[in-house]
Amino acid sequence: MNEASHPEFFSHLGAFLAQQRESIIAAWMDRVAKDPRIPAADRLSKSALADHIPAVLEELVEHLRSKHPQGDLPATVAQDAKKHGIERWQQGYRLEELLWEITQLRGVFIEVMSKFETEEYPISEVAARDEARTEVHFFLDNLARISTQRYVDEQQAELKKLSDSRLHLMRTVSHELRNVLNGLGLTTQSLYEDEQELSHLRDVIGRSVQHMKELLDDLLELSSLVSNQRAVRITECSPAIILHDINTLFTPLAEAKGLGFTASCDPALKRLNSDQGMIKQIATNLVSNAIKYTEAGRICLEFRMEESEKWAIVVTDTGVGIAPEEHEQIFSDLYRVEKTAHLQGIGLGLSIVSRLVELLNGTIRVESEAGKGSRFEVILPQTHVSEPAS
């Protein structure tokens, strides 16, 4: 393996960069934070922003000290670069933001190297300086190439996942609607065979039509959320009135299954500044699910005050429950809890709830065990504040 032409210069430069490690990282983070072309960085903590850059800097120092020629970058550099690309994808960076922050890193290195050349070596060492600069640029070029390639790979994998999910959605809904329509077809044939069954058949047709309506409503709602067409509309609203409407809607449905249903509102919770339609839909979907998956017992809906200007929608039931290992999956599109696959529905209700909660800057959590019922808690701000557009 050939060494660099100016090994002493490379070794001293590596040592100098190691001494300047903290100031290099701080200068880079300051540049990125102030760069209007990298708005995603504003959402990150200092540790999340630094990410794998400290490790990359250490790799560069070792690379210079070992005096490797171009083309022999250590495997650990590629690993750190890949991790950086993955992290930035997961943190919501756009590809151009990733490239701009690497450009800022290059700018910091150029400044530090200029300082090194001025303080440590005379002007006559032109060849050594040029070789070192070329090596640093080569190193950063590879960092950018590997990091962005990994970012693009993650992006493509996500796009494929979305495509597969939509295909699965189309197949699932088509299958569900076909079953409903086949049932309706058989039912309508019976209308001409036995007039005594008319009342029963009307009920069957009514339930089938309602099921199709719910399917299509969920699809339209999911479509608007996925395409970012559902905007938050802030109004002053009364939680007590929202709760009354939900109570009026679901009390007869629960009683029809022999279930108890109670709805209560904290007297201290007077007014909200939020999207009334989204709030009602979150509570409605949670209560509807609770009734669907509860065969005996009761469902409770509660609106209550929380600390720090927040409030909560809490829905508890005595239904089939959810195994702990399924808790993270239930908010995914089309996911059905294993023990409920025989019931109507395609698994969009909780996915829609999760997206609506996110739009309202809230959080949702579930406490449940198989066979022991479930408790869903949504925490929302009493006054919705729109996040600035990135």
Side-chain angles (χ1 to χ4, degrees), residues 203-332:
D203 290 341
V204 173
I205 292 173
R207 287 195 299 270
S208 297
V209 171
Q210 180 62 29
H211 181 42
M212 282 197 294
K213 180 180 180 301
E214 291 172 356
L215 282 175
L216 294 174
D217 285 346
D218 282 349
L219 284 173
L220 289 171
E221 180 62 28
L222 182 64
S223 174
S224 67
L225 291 169
V226 170
S227 61
N228 296 321
Q229 293 178 347
R230 181 74 184 268
V232 178
R233 296 178 175 84
I234 306 301
T235 60
E236 185 179 273
C237 48
S238 165
I241 292 176
I242 296 173
L243 190 79
H244 177 269
D245 292 344
I246 296 171
N247 187 39
T248 301
L249 173 65
F250 285 106
T251 295
L253 295 177
E255 290 177 349
K257 285 189 69 174
L259 304 173
F261 178 66
T262 58
S264 61
C265 183
D266 190 333
L269 189 60
K270 301 293 186 183
R271 310 297 298 178
L272 303 170
N273 287 297
S274 190
D275 189 310
Q276 178 170 309
M278 289 188 180
I279 291 171
K280 184 177 291 187
Q281 189 168 3
I282 289 169
T284 296
N285 280 19
L286 290 176
V287 173
S288 178
N289 264 15
I291 293 175
K292 181 186 296 184
Y293 300 126
T294 301
E295 295 302 324
R298 65 187 305 102
I299 290 96
C300 298
L301 168 64
E302 179 187 4
F303 287 179
R304 70 160 189 248
M305 287 280 287
E306 295 286 322
E307 296 179 356
S308 304
E309 300 297 317
K310 296 182 183 295
W311 70 291
I313 301 171
V314 183
V315 176
T316 57
D317 64 58
T318 56
V320 296
I322 306 164
E325 60 269 21
E326 294 187 90
H327 287 188
E328 292 185 3
Q329 305 174 65
I330 58 175
F331 299 105
S332 303

Side-chain angles (χ1 to χ4, degrees), residues 8 12 37-38 95 116 136 151 174 186 192 209 301 319 333:
E8 183 181 357
H12 286 180
R37 298 165 301 189
I38 316 176
L95 181 58
F116 168 75
V136 170
Y151 176 100
S174 297
L186 293 173
Y192 302 99
V209 171
L301 168 64
D333 296 343

Side-chain angles (χ1 to χ4, degrees), residues 119-136:
E119 295 178 0
E120 302 292 331
Y121 274 82
I123 192 74
S124 59
E125 295 286 346
V126 175
R129 290 187 306 175
D130 287 347
E131 184 179 356
R133 282 176 177 263
T134 298
E135 194 64 33
V136 170

